[in-house]
Amino acid sequence: MYTRGASDYALFRQKRLALGAQQLIRYPEDSYDRRWVPGYGLFAYQAEGEARISKMDVSGAEDNPPAAVVQNATTGNNTSEYFELYTYLPDFPVQVYITTFFSEVHPAALTSPNKRSFEIYVDEQPYSKPIVPPFESVIEVAITNITASSKTSITLRPTADSTLPFLINAFEVYLLSKVGPATDTRDMEGLAVLQVQFEVLIIWSGDPCLPLSSSWEWVQCSTGTIPRIIALNLSSFDLVGPLPDFSSMDALVTIDLQDNSLNGRIPDFLGSFPNLKRLFNGTIPTSLSKNKKLELTPPQTPPPTTTETTTPPTTTATTTPPPPYNNHRTPPPAADVSQFGSGSGSTDDSKNNALLSILVAATIQALLLITYFP
């Protein structure tokens, strides 16, 4: 289906109309659950089909329209009229992929002296050969390899020997866009799992590696046409709960999970990563401890408590706990959004107070175990 375009282009639906339909058509009538919106032509009228859906053969159409879509049609009053496809295209030229579907609704149209024959014109020039719609089957004509805009005229015009007006059952309009490089889908799947598990990561979106100027803060990517994620740098991200299974990210070399509130042992699936060489934090499962290439960095332990032989003077001290980790991170901006720097001013006293607070907090944090795996 939809194979007439180049393989390095993606299709973006602009419009999909079932001309003559009474209501929206989708699954189960369309096994692909495409949404066919009812539509009518200007100065045209609906023609109800006499063919039964059960007998309709749509195999002749490459893009497989459902029988319910081609059962009815839009037609004109006489052969002097033509039908113009309203394409909903933008004002500027774009590459397009347009499909049109034709199926006769009245079997009498195929008997002499009747004849229904018409052609597709693009900007007043013939584009197709004469089209004679068959009864209980479908003809598809695709309009491809052209650029078009809202100013482009695409019309159906009866041929000189036609005794009946045009007829059309349905059409689709797609925009074509060249597909650029993207991060490997295995890594995208793993990142999606992590984002579902840890809400703090949801603020990152788009391609995690490309473009390099807006790659995600907590991943490191390889170079190449299809980047792979080789490191997860999730230290101090306030992650809470167990690790989900992100084993599809099989190019990982480094995983840093320090300073989070993760529950339980590091899961065994981490032992399946063939390239993993460095793992920070956590109780080490057997599958990883056997990996001779892996550098394991267990969680830090607090220094042992020493007992003085002399009784120190009794003093009362107030200990302030370290400030909570600020997880209000800002996601990388979109490529087309400018970044503005910001400045701030303060008095010398406020600077000294801020510096003192930082030194006190850092001293206290050095004596505490920030994260551990029970």
Side-chain angles (χ1 to χ4, degrees), residues 18 70 72-73 113 117 119 127 140 146 156 173 212 233 260 264 287 290 306 309 331 336 347 349 370:
V70 295
N72 299 323
S117 174
E119 296 173 307
Y127 182 86
E140 176 180 352
I146 68 168
L156 307 180
V173 180
L212 293 176
N233 302 312
N260 290 294
S287 60
K290 294 179 180 179
T306 58
T309 56
D336 59 347
T347 65
D349 288 341
I370 304 303

Side-chain angles (χ1 to χ4, degrees), residues 139-294:
I139 288 177
E140 176 180 352
V141 178
I143 303 172
T144 59
N145 299 319
I146 68 168
T147 58
S149 70
S150 59
K151 299 177 183 179
T152 303
S153 171
I154 302 177
T155 57
L156 307 180
R157 302 189 178 194
T159 58
D161 60 344
S162 180
T163 63
L164 298 173
F166 67 84
L167 179 146
I168 182 171
N169 307 80
F171 70 92
E172 301 172 283
V173 180
Y174 294 92
L175 305 184
L176 287 174
S177 179
K178 193 172 182 63
V179 178
T183 300
D184 192 283
T185 55
R186 290 168 289 182
D187 295 328
M188 298 295 288
E189 292 172 3
L191 292 178
V193 169
L194 288 167
Q195 289 183 306
V196 169
Q197 178 69 13
F198 303 118
E199 185 176 355
V200 69
L201 303 179
I202 294 178
I203 58 177
W204 279 268
S205 61
D207 193 294
C209 296
L210 298 173
L212 293 176
S213 59
S214 58
S215 60
W216 293 7
E217 173 185 340
W218 46 279
V219 303
Q220 181 180 345
C221 306
S222 67
T223 58
T225 304
I226 302 178
R228 295 301 310 270
I229 294 178
I230 58 176
L232 290 177
N233 302 312
L234 289 167
S235 175
S236 301
F237 265 71
D238 240 13
L239 308 183
V240 179
L243 275 179
D245 186 346
F246 54 94
S247 56
S248 62
M249 304 178 69
D250 56 7
L252 283 171
V253 176
T254 300
I255 301 175
D256 186 354
L257 300 169
Q258 295 185 97
D259 301 330
N260 290 294
S261 299
L262 299 172
N263 299 332
R265 293 171 58 88
I266 296 180
D268 287 338
F269 75 79
L270 293 179
S272 65
F273 290 140
N275 303 310
L276 189 62
K277 294 182 180 179
R278 181 172 297 179
L279 176 67
F280 293 87
N281 237 11
T283 303
I284 309 304
T286 304
S287 60
L288 288 175
S289 62
K290 294 179 180 179
N291 186 344
K292 303 302 181 183
K293 298 185 297 181
L294 182 61

